[in-house]
Amino acid sequence: MKHGKVFLIGAGPGDVELLTLKAVRAIGRAQVLFIDDLVNREVLQFAQPNARIIEVGKRGGCKSTPQAFIERQMIAAARRGATVARVKGGDPFVFGRGGEEVQALRAAGIEVEVVNGITAGLAAATSIGVPLTHRDLSHGVTFVTGHAREGGDAPDWPALARAATTLVIYMGMSNLDSIARALLAGGRAADTPVAVIQNATLKDQRELISTLRGIARAARAAELGSPAIVVVGEVVSLAQPRDLAWLAMQAA
Ligand code: SAH
């Protein structure tokens, strides 16, 4: 029997309207869907009514499905001839372990197609009117994880502090205090503007603007938590109150 194909799909940050047309089409072709817990379930409106939906939570702290188990299940489904959609939050190749899954699938002889999604860092910044680069303010942007693998290398915060480009930090909320301190120690100015955006593009989005010196305390006081994006850099000075029309559209 011919093996089925696996689509590794980025579902974007939350707002279902941010799905690409390619993602919608791939979701609609699948007989089996493996869905991560950060994915807005509204994407399932594009699935076939009789498709099998398998929830595979990966969120730190909660009960999560081991990576190897997910990979084995996908391989087994594809070997049975099913078209498989592996649906991940944001973009599958940005802190999504998409690279590992592609390697595992290819090693098993399964065809994979990766469909980009809008990564949370992009959407979070845009939702508050912040351009990640700007000719007057920032000549580049670095996407970095704030959550180093246990025993693994942490990001080089002093080097990132010196680089003076915009920093977009994923999974940084539990270490926000030490990240801010490391950037200050590395020489970033204490009054550098910082934004935290939680649940970006979803109805319950919350955001906070402060400075590098004040952000950890302010985020604690506001009880902001995961999933959130932290944006550090002068571009954050361009933040705008969220567009009310956009919010109204979300609610409609
Ligand atoms: N592949 C995803 C990232 C997965 S890592 C992407 O490209 O967006 C998980 C982290 O992404 C979270 O800890 C958080 O930092 C960020 N994240 C995902 N969805 C988010 C959202 N709607 N709002 C804010 N941050 C989000």
Side-chain angles (χ1 to χ4, degrees):
M1 188 207 290
K2 198 176 171 309
H3 286 174
K5 176 171 173 176
V6 175
F7 290 93
L8 183 56
I9 303 166
D15 179 358
V16 78
E17 299 225 306
L18 293 175
L19 278 173
T20 65
L21 293 175
K22 221 183 238 296
V24 168
R25 210 159 41 79
I27 289 169
R29 278 179 59 181
Q31 279 113 33
V32 185
L33 292 92
F34 293 85
I35 307 259
D36 265 8
D37 61 2
L38 275 181
V39 173
N40 186 346
R41 294 307 185 258
E42 284 176 36
V43 307
L44 294 176
Q45 68 188 278
F46 302 111
Q48 295 173 27
N50 55 354
R52 196 168 152 224
I53 314 287
I54 301 169
E55 313 248 350
V56 285
K58 289 292 302 167
R59 198 176 300 195
C62 303
K63 197 162 145 271
S64 64
T65 316
Q67 186 69 20
F69 182 75
I70 298 172
E71 287 165 6
R72 275 204 306 275
Q73 291 236 314
M74 284 198 287
I75 291 165
R79 285 197 171 140
R80 286 194 299 270
T83 300
V84 175
R86 170 73 169 116
V87 190
K88 290 172 167 284
D91 184 87
F93 276 1
V94 179
F95 305 123
R97 305 187 74 168
E100 292 165 49
E101 290 182 16
V102 167
Q103 284 175 306
L105 291 161
R106 291 212 173 119
I110 308 290
E111 189 191 348
V112 196
E113 182 175 332
V114 180
V115 179
N116 282 123
I118 295 182
T119 189
L122 270 184
T126 300
S127 74
I128 57 166
V130 168
L132 292 177
T133 66
H134 187 291
R135 285 205 297 175
D136 298 331
L137 299 172
S138 173
H139 294 290
V141 52
T142 306
F143 289 174
V144 66
T145 172
H147 182 89
R149 182 145 61 160
E150 236 167 88
D153 283 340
D156 185 349
W157 296 111
L160 292 169
R162 280 193 304 277
T165 51
T166 308
L167 278 184
V168 177
I169 305 168
Y170 291 67
M171 296 171 275
M173 292 310 279
S174 52
N175 296 330
L176 192 53
D177 210 22
S178 61
I179 292 168
R181 272 190 277 112
L183 290 171
L184 289 169
R188 268 275 165 120
D191 62 356
T192 306
V194 179
V196 172
I197 307 106
Q198 180 179 345
N199 293 327
T201 79
L202 289 162
K203 290 190 186 80
D204 53 355
Q205 171 167 338
R206 294 176 64 208
E207 63 270 328
L208 172 73
I209 314 268
S210 181
T211 60
L212 198 50
R213 188 199 296 111
I215 192 68
R217 183 196 289 252
R220 243 190 333 270
E223 297 184 356
L224 287 184
S226 287
I229 290 289
V230 183
V231 184
V232 181
E234 292 307 322
V235 288
V236 173
S237 64
L238 300 175
Q240 296 288 319
R242 260 184 297 151
D243 182 341
L244 293 177
W246 182 84
L247 277 181
M249 203 169 87
Q250 284 267 295

